[in-house]
């Protein structure tokens, strides 16, 4: 079941993506997802609270 994001989360996500695109450069969807996950993990580790509060799902690797 998809999770609905509130306005605060959407604004924070948008601002973060703009910051990353200005400071990291071009990136694909996979890199964006990894950066967001790492940011969330670092925030929890350093401050004890999540940066976004998203529910992350693990994608199973499919070999072709």
């Amino acid at each position: 079941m998809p999770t609905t994001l509130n306005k605060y989360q959407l604004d924070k996500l948008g601002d973060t993506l703009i910051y990353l695109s200005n400071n990291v450069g071009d990136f694909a969807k996979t890199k964006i997802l990894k950066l967001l996950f790492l940011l969330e993990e670092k925030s929890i580790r350093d401050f004890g609270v999540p940066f976004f509060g998203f529910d992350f799902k693990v994608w199973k690797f499919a070999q072709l």
Side-chain angles (χ1 to χ4, degrees):
M1 175 167 48
T3 304
T4 304
L5 303 177
N6 61 39
K7 180 169 176 18
Y8 174 75
Q9 288 174 313
L10 286 174
D11 289 344
K12 194 169 190 178
L13 175 61
D15 291 341
T16 302
L17 292 175
I18 290 169
Y19 176 83
L20 289 173
S21 68
N22 289 334
N23 292 285
V24 174
D26 294 333
F27 42 76
K29 179 173 68 171
T30 302
K31 188 170 183 178
I32 293 169
L33 293 172
K34 287 179 182 181
L35 288 171
L36 294 176
F37 178 80
L38 292 172
L39 179 61
E40 188 85 336
E41 181 183 23
K42 177 128 177 83
S43 177
I44 292 170
R45 190 176 340 127
D46 291 354
F47 305 108
V49 293
F51 189 76
F52 297 108
F54 295 161
D55 290 329
F56 286 91
K57 305 291 183 211
V58 176
W59 293 352
K60 184 176 180 180
F61 176 73
Q63 289 184 319
L64 300 175

